[in-house]
Amino acid sequence: MKCQCCNSEMNLFRPQMKKTFKCPKCGHVYWHWEKSEDYIKNYYDNYRKSMPPHKQVTTAMRKPWCKNITNFVKNTIDLSDKEVLEIGAFDGLLSNTFNRNFTNYKIHVNEYDSWACDNYLKDNFANVHKCNFLDIEKNKFDALIAIDVLEHFQDVKCFHKKIIDLDINYLIIQVPDGKERPVRENPNGFDPHYHLFTIQSIKKLFKSTHKLLSHKHTSHNFSAKGPELLCVFEKI
């Protein structure tokens, strides 16, 4: 199996793991879950309903996370007068935080979760894309926000191709930090995460089109429950 980030041959992470692969060159970890698109769509449609209360992430928890992400981005680039697409927007909390910090900020929100679109986004945002990110048809955005989204794409090369199609200048991306997170294989045969990234692997994924401007290895509860890799890229 080839690494989706650097195209090197991947190895099983451990012999007893049958679905977990690691790249010896860039350190990228990939879980090879073989599930249909219908299965995955149904999983996400029922994800929030089946989650026990003690595992749910509340708005109160997320507000400081959104503030920390916004401040990190503000210290790197200015999104004033820019047209920006946030994918995986859920309730739009991060987009609203950005909107308060940049002037003349035009936001588009995208969400695959039908429930989130119907209950949060459609009444609060003028530009809502209720679809898979790969199906968005608009031609160009100045920037893309993808916080804890990229790891849910089985094929991250398709994600990169879509970024090229949309002619996106800035990428604001947060992914699970493979340097800090333990690697486990879900005994139930599916987990919504396909990838653990390293700074080397995410740089290699975008190296043909975007350069890394800034990154941060975040600690627990800085911008998510666990350690994350927060990055800002600019088109070459």
Side-chain angles (χ1 to χ4, degrees), residues 43-52 56 90 111 113 115-116 120:
Y43 178 91
Y44 281 113
D45 283 345
N46 291 283
Y47 178 68
R48 247 170 288 280
K49 299 174 189 174
S50 61
M51 183 180 289
Q56 292 180 11
F90 182 47
E111 179 55 64
D113 184 330
W115 184 88
Y120 288 122

Side-chain angles (χ1 to χ4, degrees), residues 145-160:
I145 303 170
I147 303 300
D148 300 324
V149 171
L150 187 54
E151 63 270 23
H152 297 278
F153 281 81
Q154 185 170 8
D155 185 352
V156 292
K157 287 185 176 180
C158 289
F159 180 92
H160 187 204

Side-chain angles (χ1 to χ4, degrees), residues 12-129:
L12 279 172
F13 188 82
R14 293 192 184 97
Q16 67 270 30
M17 290 182 171
K18 303 305 180 186
K19 300 285 186 181
T20 310
F21 296 82
K22 185 174 183 179
C23 177
K25 295 287 182 67
C26 68
H28 191 76
V29 172
Y30 170 69
W31 285 281
H32 186 55
W33 309 120
E34 297 173 300
K35 298 295 183 181
S36 69
E37 186 173 337
D38 287 343
Y39 178 95
I40 295 168
K41 180 68 168 67
N42 183 66
Y43 178 91
Y44 281 113
D45 283 345
N46 291 283
Y47 178 68
R48 247 170 288 280
K49 299 174 189 174
S50 61
M51 183 180 289
H54 71 279
K55 287 192 174 184
Q56 292 180 11
V57 178
T58 64
T59 300
M61 292 170 63
R62 292 170 54 237
K63 280 185 176 179
W65 299 353
C66 292
K67 184 177 179 180
N68 289 337
I69 292 169
T70 304
N71 288 338
F72 173 80
V73 172
K74 281 180 68 177
N75 289 332
T76 307
I77 56 174
D78 185 7
L79 292 178
S80 299
D81 302 307
K82 299 292 191 293
E83 191 160 359
V84 181
L85 170 67
E86 183 190 3
I87 67 173
F90 182 47
D91 59 359
L93 181 62
L94 180 60
S95 283
N96 282 326
T97 308
F98 270 63
N99 197 40
R100 291 193 295 270
N101 282 270
F102 298 105
T103 58
N104 298 322
Y105 179 84
K106 185 176 181 182
I107 186 67
H108 294 249
V109 290
N110 160 248
E111 179 55 64
Y112 193 51
D113 184 330
S114 302
W115 184 88
C117 281
D118 294 340
N119 288 275
Y120 288 122
L121 300 178
K122 71 176 184 180
D123 294 328
N124 297 303
F125 293 90
N127 303 296
V128 178
H129 303 264

Side-chain angles (χ1 to χ4, degrees), residues 5 16 34 36 110 115 137 158 183 195-196 220 222 232-233:
C5 297
Q16 67 270 30
E34 297 173 300
S36 69
N110 160 248
W115 184 88
E137 295 181 353
C158 289
V183 178
H195 305 271
L196 276 180
H220 175 76
F222 176 87
V232 177
F233 289 85

Side-chain angles (χ1 to χ4, degrees), residues 77-79 82-83 140-144 163-164 166-172 209-211 213 232-236:
I77 56 174
D78 185 7
L79 292 178
K82 299 292 191 293
E83 191 160 359
K140 180 177 174 58
F141 295 98
D142 296 307
L144 174 89
I163 285 169
I164 297 170
L166 295 174
D167 194 22
I168 293 171
N169 192 24
Y170 294 107
L171 308 177
I172 300 155
T209 58
H210 291 76
K211 63 181 179 182
L213 294 181
V232 177
F233 289 85
E234 183 181 25
K235 190 168 71 171
I236 299 169

Side-chain angles (χ1 to χ4, degrees), residues 1-10 23-26 28 157 201 204-205 207:
M1 179 177 294
K2 295 287 187 180
C3 176
Q4 295 180 26
C5 297
C6 74
N7 209 38
S8 300
E9 195 67 36
M10 301 187 87
C23 177
K25 295 287 182 67
C26 68
H28 191 76
K157 287 185 176 180
S201 70
K204 286 187 177 295
L205 174 62
K207 71 174 184 177

